[in-house]
Amino acid sequence: MALLNILHYPDERLHKIASPIREFGPELQQLIADMAETMYAAPGIGLAATQVDRHIRLLIIDLSEEKNALQVLINPEILSMDGEITGEEGCLSVPGIYEEVTRAEHIVVRAQDQHGTAFELEATGLLAVCIQHEIDHLNGRVFVEKLSRLKFNRIVQKLKKSQKKNM
Ligand code: NI
């Protein structure tokens, strides 16, 4: 396994739209294992392939305390959404920034598992939020872009400053 490099906002590659996955071979299995290792090491609760510069429709999530309940969603599609939930979100691609975002509270998703078997998943609360956040990544969208222009500008300034310090 290997740790992968996570792209940081405002890297343009975070705006690429991911393509559907058709091959469920060893290369994909390796990528899933590497993404899981990368997410656990960060540590984070969700990671989309887009964030490690692989532009395919794959996301992983693990909300467990023990980090032993990996969920793999391939080619995910939201079939329905309802309700509203507002909560603080962070992102491994936008380190140090946490902002309130409003999303659907309840969703039904159709996806494939890591071997290509289709399944439907009903999710509420944090899991629903996390899936929506990661699907946004696959569509080239980062959560800070959902904020008001004022907040967004403030975050971009902050990120520019911290990047200068790290050079
Ligand atoms: Ni994210």
Side-chain angles (χ1 to χ4, degrees):
M1 294 205 289
L3 286 180
L4 305 171
N5 185 42
I6 297 177
L7 300 178
H8 283 176
Y9 199 79
D11 193 308
E12 266 308 309
R13 291 169 289 182
L14 288 167
H15 291 135
K16 285 193 187 178
I17 296 177
S19 309
I21 293 175
R22 309 261 178 247
E23 298 280 332
F24 293 81
E27 211 180 299
L28 180 70
Q29 306 310 318
Q30 185 63 52
L31 176 63
I32 292 168
D34 290 344
M35 279 176 60
E37 195 186 3
T38 303
M39 178 180 75
Y40 290 134
I45 58 172
L47 189 65
T50 305
Q51 293 176 272
V52 294
D53 201 21
R54 295 292 306 270
H55 302 282
I56 55 173
R57 304 193 79 81
L58 158 65
L59 64 88
I60 60 170
I61 292 174
D62 190 340
L63 300 181
S64 71
E65 287 286 329
E66 302 79 17
K67 307 291 173 208
N68 60 1
L70 187 71
Q71 289 178 282
V72 178
L73 277 73
I74 292 173
N75 301 325
E77 245 182 284
I78 296 181
L79 300 179
S80 69
M81 46 168 77
D82 56 82
E84 241 183 39
I85 184 172
T86 301
E88 204 169 67
E89 289 185 27
C91 178
L92 293 175
S93 293
V94 198
I97 304 291
Y98 300 90
E99 293 289 343
E100 295 220 317
V101 179
T102 299
R103 297 190 186 270
E105 201 276 330
H106 172 245
I107 60 173
V108 178
V109 189
R110 181 169 50 210
Q112 283 163 281
D113 70 11
Q114 69 187 95
H115 306 294
T117 306
F119 64 95
E120 274 187 25
L121 173 68
E122 194 173 351
T124 56
L126 182 58
L127 181 59
V129 166
C130 203
I131 292 171
Q132 291 169 81
H133 176 118
E134 303 309 334
I135 290 178
D136 274 356
H137 276 303
L138 301 181
N139 293 327
R141 291 195 298 263
V142 180
F143 85 103
V144 290
E145 293 161 353
K146 295 178 90 77
L147 305 172
S148 69
R149 189 39 56 185
L150 186 72
K151 267 191 184 169
F152 176 76
N153 288 340
R154 211 182 294 146
I155 287 166
V156 171
Q157 288 306 319
K158 198 171 160 184
L159 289 171
K160 275 187 191 157
K161 263 187 219 158
S162 69
Q163 275 163 2
K164 267 184 212 151
K165 267 186 243 152
N166 292 335
M167 275 168 80

